[in-house]
């Protein structure tokens, strides 16, 4: 059992940047992948980015490639999402997730979910 707590969301103007953080506590596999999903009003939940336990492999949705960067600090059980060149299309609730690599990257069904943090990008 693990608890995931996101922070760093907020309101930013088009072209701006935000960095999301996710702190994990409780028991979880030290080799779990972590990732970010998002859901905007009227849209289905979508995969954003993921990172392997070692940090050596990263994965991004086509819509955020070149703009977002995911990283992690295993010593702190923390994952980050640096978001640059934000547009209104990035407005959504962002969820931190954790799970086996296959659950996050292949199946899109991570074992653990955070409560989410709102990101709003104004025009």
């Amino acid at each position: 059992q693990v608890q995931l707590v996101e922070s760093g969301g907020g309101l930013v103007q088009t072209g701006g940047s935000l960095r999301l953080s996710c702190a994990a506590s409780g028991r979880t596999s030290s080799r779990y992948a972590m990732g970010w999903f998002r859901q905007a009003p009227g849209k289905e939940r979508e995969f954003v980015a993921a990172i392997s336990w070692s940090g050596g492999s990263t994965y991004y949705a086509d819509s955020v490639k070149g703009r977002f960067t995911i990283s992690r600090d295993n010593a702190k059980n923390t994952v980050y999402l640096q978001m640059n060149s934000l547009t209104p299309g990035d407005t959504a609730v962002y969820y931190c997730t954790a799970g086996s690599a296959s659950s996050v990257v292949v199946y899109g069904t991570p074992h653990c979910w955070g409560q989410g943090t709102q990101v709003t990008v104004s025009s």
Side-chain angles (χ1 to χ4, degrees):
Q1 186 173 341
V2 63
Q3 291 77 48
L4 304 174
V5 180
E6 303 95 336
S7 62
L11 175 65
V12 65
Q13 66 184 38
T14 296
S17 299
L18 284 173
R19 187 182 71 169
L20 305 183
S21 299
C22 174
S25 62
R27 294 182 62 84
T28 189
S29 171
S30 63
R31 296 186 179 273
Y32 265 19
M34 298 188 73
W36 294 89
F37 288 71
R38 68 186 183 186
Q39 187 166 26
K43 298 178 64 177
E44 64 184 15
R45 185 172 57 201
E46 64 176 341
F47 169 79
V48 177
I51 187 167
S52 64
W53 170 80
S54 68
S57 298
T58 57
Y59 311 87
Y60 298 95
D62 289 342
S63 60
V64 306
K65 286 181 180 177
R67 300 188 297 120
F68 290 11
T69 302
I70 189 170
S71 61
R72 69 186 299 169
D73 183 343
N74 287 343
K76 298 181 178 180
N77 288 321
T78 301
V79 65
Y80 306 94
L81 185 68
Q82 178 67 46
M83 306 184 294
N84 299 325
S85 301
L86 287 163
T87 75
D90 297 313
T91 295
V93 176
Y94 284 70
Y95 297 93
C96 178
T97 66
S100 66
S102 60
S103 75
V104 175
V105 178
V106 178
Y107 300 112
T109 56
H111 302 330
C112 304
W113 293 77
Q115 293 297 111
T117 185
Q118 177 70 48
V119 171
T120 302
V121 184
S122 63
S123 301

